[in-house]
Amino acid sequence: MFESSLSRRLLLASAAALMAAPLCAEPAYPSKPIRLVIGYAPGGSVDMVGRVISDILTKHLNATVVVENQAGAAGVVAAQRVVSSKPDGYTLLAGSSNELAGTKAVNTAQKYDPSKDVTPIGLAALAPNMWVAGAHVPVKNIDEFVALVKKNPGKYSYGSPGIGSTPHFSGELIKKSAGLFITHIPYRGSATMTTDLGGGNVDFAIISPLAAAPFLQNGRMKALGVTTASRLPTFKDVPALGEHPALKGYALNGWFALVGPKDLPPEILAKLQGALRAGLGDPAIRQRLEASGAIPAKGDENLAQVIRTDMDKYQDLAKFANISE
């Protein structure tokens, strides 16, 4: 009887050990390189912020992070790749408000829905933009801009880096808020747009403050207002567009964020969020983001809510402007 009892105990212990074995054998995350996909070419603002995120994950997860630039369709190609990947935390997207909110409103071929098909990890930074005039346009401030365009509906044009981009929607919101008629000229990026603005081929543009700075200094552009709700510390003399009565309440920022495919396991999501928060609390990291023209996130923003809110804004503006691809 003693031997029978002992045998039963040994069998139970063996069974318990077998059940626990797979859990013990599961390596702690991350146990292999993380692919951080960026949907734009190297050197741009999304790429710069993406590489800051890469350094954060490397340090705070003690991980090997491989950055992969996969440009195409304003970030949609890269986002689709991540959305379709296995939700194990080893394929992530360092993305922007373009492919994570804006493009769905204008690109009928986009298969994924950012509000449903990604796991929001965290906001990394805001991307302010600036409404600028070419040197040839006879305006110096928002008052003069609004008065000039209202007096000459359809005569003036503005450029953006492309249809469905955050700068494009920012321009359409200016038109909608102030009741203005300005022709939109889409470009494939900011370089040609900047050249055309300096050459007088386009009258106004939405551009990042960092890209605008040298042209403001040499007089080829004039800063009329920023798209943020309040003035930027680095451009204190440039008003927020929303300060003008015709644009009261105006605010539309681009942003950069880290996301993964839908259904990331909670324990992996928690690790990634903790790493991002820790990184954003580092003064050196915040300085790097500011140097790239971004406003570092606080680390406690609700990214899922940001995505949903901006998707609604962009959908409304797409209907207003009657834009689609």
Side-chain angles (χ1 to χ4, degrees), residues 143-226:
D143 268 332
E144 294 179 358
F145 153 66
V146 171
L148 179 71
V149 175
K150 281 197 171 183
K151 187 177 179 181
N152 302 277
K155 178 180 178 180
Y156 293 97
S157 60
Y158 85 92
S160 83
I163 293 174
S165 65
T166 298
H168 178 200
F169 283 119
S170 298
E172 293 304 307
L173 184 57
I174 289 172
K175 291 166 60 175
K176 182 181 180 184
S177 300
L180 303 177
F181 176 20
I182 319 173
T183 302
H184 173 238
I185 308 295
Y187 288 83
R188 291 185 177 181
S190 297
T192 306
M193 177 186 74
T194 302
T195 300
D196 277 5
L197 185 66
N201 295 320
V202 66
D203 304 305
F204 302 96
I206 289 278
I207 189 172
S208 76
L210 189 67
F215 299 97
L216 298 174
Q217 292 170 0
N218 65 23
R220 293 179 64 189
M221 293 182 190
K222 292 175 281 189
L224 303 184
V226 293

Side-chain angles (χ1 to χ4, degrees), residues 2-18:
F2 174 77
E3 290 180 358
S4 176
S5 176
L6 179 61
S7 297
R8 283 198 300 273
R9 287 199 298 271
L10 288 172
L11 284 170
L12 288 171
S14 298
L18 286 170

